[in-house]
Structures are given as C-alpha cells and as structure tokens.
Amino acid sequence: GAVVSQHPSWVICKSGTSVKIECRSLDFQATTMFWYRQFPKQSLMLMATSNEGSKATYEQGVEKDKFLINHASLTLSTLTVTSAHPEDSSFYICSASSGGSITGELFFGEGSRLTVL
Amino acid sequence: GENVEQHPSTLSVQEGDSAVIKCTYSDSASNYFPWYKQELGKRPQLIIDIRSNVGEKKDQRIAVTLNKTAKHFSLHITETQPEDSAVYFCAASIGNNDMRFGAGTRLTVKP
C-alpha cells in the first residue's frame, strides 16, 4: 500500500513554544491530507482537511490560528501547533489518499506524540 | 454532518471465539465504510472496507456486513487469536471526504 510518513514521531516542548509536524506521502501525490487528534483511549477526531495550494478546512471547534496547516506541495502537509500549552498534549495523526476522493482508502502516518511541559 | 456510533466500547472473548462490533451512521449519503485496527501507540491500519453497493465482504477470518436501509454495518472476526487484540475503529464517509470515526472498541482475546 501507499506510504505516509510523519515526523517527528514524538516531541517534548515548553509551554508557549511552537511545534511543527510534517506529513509526507512518500510514493504518491496527495491533493488532500487530513489531520486528526487522538487523546488516550479515545477515537480519532478530525481537526482539518488540508488541500494542496489552498486554505485548509477546519472542523468546528478547532482554532485555525492555533493549529496552522500548510499544504504547499502534493506530497507534504504541515501542522504547526502555535504557542503550545499542556492541554495541547496529544497524539496527532495525518492521513492521505492515493486515489482522490473516489478511491476511498486512507493511509495514515505513524503519528506524532506531543507533550507540552 | 456524519455521526458514527460504535458498540461495544470494550469486548473480551476467548481465543477461538468470534467477535462482533457494530456501528451505525447518520448520513445516508455515506458510501464508504472502512474498519481500522490500531495497536497501542501505532497508526491505524485498514483491515477491511465495504462500499455502499455491496452488502457483505469477507477476507479470511474477517467479514463486514452493511445494511444501508438501517444505516448500520458490522465487523465480524472469527476464530479470534491473541494478536487480534487491539482497538478497532469503524468509519463512514462519502468517498474520502469528511471521514468520521466511531469511538472505538477495545478487543481483548484471552489465550
């Protein structure tokens, strides 16, 4: 199957700093990538849909100025958690589809565990 | 938007028994229903999916059924093994757009 790589896999930062997480599709082009947040023992919550070359679409309740998404190329989307606080600590996962909106299957990155001290 | 409900939240079975997880969805326009398996700290892995033009799909010990009229779909795992222990998520979407996940089911297979 298609490969989606996420980096870093884990990061610890101080409160008030910003953290950037990268999501790359390694062997296919992804016009759309998705960002999720997962709290311990909970489900994946869609945060935003990242569209190449345009602004991301954020889910209700997700602060776009807090979680900056950039999808500058067909293989890379980035999520920047700005001015991070301890409540932002979570597991962040991206996904992408290799076949456009019709094919269906999503491939997930390895996830990035963020801990804000 | 789409709302997916999943039951049960936890499921414990004896090795060799069957496990069934059920999900319901709200948006009749949804046409793609994948199931993911997620082990602790790892990425979700697609184990099986079904599209709305099919009522049932089977892959070895795993099967999924879809009832479009009732808007529910189920995952069936037969002859469970300890390595099947994980969290399973159902999801529903229109193509890849706006995919929503169920709350997850923590399956434990006891040897």
Side-chain angles (χ1 to χ4, degrees):
Chain A
V3 179
V4 175
S5 178
Q6 207 170 324
H7 179 82
S9 56
W10 59 270
V11 58
I12 301 173
C13 70
K14 293 182 179 180
S15 185
T17 60
S18 294
V19 174
K20 180 183 286 187
I21 301 169
E22 294 185 347
C23 180
R24 293 181 184 274
S25 54
L26 298 185
D27 52 359
F28 65 99
Q29 293 184 331
T31 55
T32 304
M33 292 184 176
F34 305 90
W35 287 96
Y36 305 85
R37 183 174 182 176
Q38 187 176 35
F39 290 105
K41 298 184 178 181
Q42 293 191 24
S43 188
L44 297 117
M45 301 301 298
L46 181 65
M47 297 175 65
T49 302
S50 171
N51 303 295
E52 188 269 335
S54 64
K55 292 182 179 180
T57 303
Y58 289 81
E59 295 299 305
Q60 189 174 5
V62 178
E63 300 176 58
K64 61 180 181 180
D65 295 330
K66 173 76 173 176
F67 299 99
L68 300 178
I69 291 174
N70 184 278
H71 195 156
S73 77
L74 288 171
T75 59
L76 173 65
S77 175
T78 61
L79 168 69
T80 301
V81 183
T82 62
S83 187
H85 288 93
E87 57 266 31
D88 298 324
S89 298
S90 189
F91 193 53
Y92 294 88
I93 309 179
C94 69
S95 71
S97 170
S98 62
S101 63
I102 299 175
T103 300
E105 183 173 359
L106 288 179
F107 298 93
F108 285 85
E110 306 96 319
S112 299
R113 185 165 301 283
L114 171 63
T115 301
V116 184
L117 302 177
Chain B
E2 177 64 273
N3 181 47
V4 179
E5 294 192 357
Q6 183 172 347
H7 300 280
S9 57
T10 59
L11 179 60
S12 181
V13 300
Q14 207 66 37
E15 182 177 2
D17 290 348
S18 295
V20 181
I21 303 171
K22 298 182 179 181
C23 289
T24 61
Y25 62 99
S26 61
D27 191 342
S28 58
S30 291
N31 59 4
Y32 178 60
F33 308 92
W35 286 87
Y36 291 89
K37 176 183 180 181
Q38 187 180 27
E39 297 178 1
L40 188 63
K42 296 187 177 181
R43 76 182 88 192
Q45 298 277 9
L46 179 71
I47 57 171
I48 195 168
D49 56 13
I50 192 167
R51 301 181 193 282
S52 58
N53 59 344
V54 176
E56 184 174 355
K57 184 177 178 180
K58 188 174 182 180
D59 182 4
Q60 298 182 338
R61 297 187 296 110
I62 297 172
V64 58
T65 59
L66 171 65
N67 183 327
K68 285 183 61 181
T69 303
K71 288 189 282 191
H72 66 68
F73 56 113
S74 301
L75 176 72
H76 304 251
I77 305 174
T78 58
E79 300 172 33
T80 54
Q81 301 166 3
E83 49 265 39
D84 293 330
S85 297
V87 178
Y88 292 81
F89 293 100
C90 63
S93 69
I94 303 172
N96 281 330
N97 295 323
D98 203 25
M99 183 172 288
R100 302 292 171 166
F101 289 81
T105 297
R106 183 172 300 278
L107 174 64
T108 302
V109 180
K110 299 178 182 177

